[in-house]
Amino acid sequence: MTLVQPEPTARKTDTDTLLALGLAAIAQRHEEIRRQDRLDDEHAVRYARAEAQATFGEDAAAALGEWRPSPEMPDGMYQAIVELTPRTSLICTMPRDGAGAVFEVLAYCGSCNRHSSNAVGSLADLAGALRGGLR
């Protein structure tokens, strides 16, 4: 949206009009940001599914479950998460330029209040990370 400066007149510019124009510009920008966030979420999930199929095979990728966009994507990256067990997730992080994804299993131990993270690059790595739990 391009705001146009009102033509100069002999009278002073109405403050209410300026406020209304400013609020309209803010609302439009907010909607543009929300639209871009939705697109980013869709891209992250779509790319994570495709990368999981390429990395783990179609059957394994289908068995993983539902990918969700990360609530806080790192700058310049897409990130999606699939919950494998109640306290274990597979995270797929990939640069926005499409250069290879990185998968990691993030596990949380409720009793010891610790996290562990294991990079995985194959189905065997994923199985090992799930069997290994917290280290």
Side-chain angles (χ1 to χ4, degrees):
M1 172 179 184
T2 303
L3 295 177
V4 178
Q5 186 91 12
E7 291 295 323
T9 61
R11 65 183 179 92
K12 190 175 182 181
T13 305
D14 182 12
T15 306
D16 290 337
T17 303
L18 289 175
L19 180 61
L21 287 171
L23 290 174
I26 291 168
Q28 182 173 357
R29 180 64 183 139
H30 180 70
E31 184 56 36
E32 290 170 0
I33 291 169
R34 286 184 36 204
R35 190 174 322 119
Q36 186 60 49
D37 285 348
R38 279 192 304 274
L39 285 173
D40 286 348
D41 290 351
E42 291 170 10
H43 286 274
V45 168
R46 184 172 42 252
Y47 293 154
R49 280 189 199 124
E51 289 290 332
Q53 286 176 345
T55 303
F56 306 121
E58 288 193 31
D59 292 339
L64 288 174
E66 180 184 350
W67 286 96
R68 295 181 325 253
S70 174
E72 295 182 26
M73 285 190 214
D75 288 339
M77 306 291 254
Y78 288 121
Q79 192 172 64
I81 301 168
V82 63
E83 186 175 354
L84 303 174
T85 67
R87 291 191 172 139
T88 305
S89 298
L90 179 63
I91 301 170
C92 178
T93 305
M94 65 226 92
R96 289 179 187 256
D97 66 7
V102 175
F103 289 96
E104 67 178 310
V105 173
L106 181 65
Y108 173 73
C109 175
S111 60
C112 61
N113 199 24
R114 285 190 0 212
H115 289 88
S116 75
S117 176
N118 297 303
V120 293
S122 68
L123 190 55
D125 290 345
L126 178 58
L130 292 174
R131 272 193 304 272
L134 287 174
R135 294 181 193 157

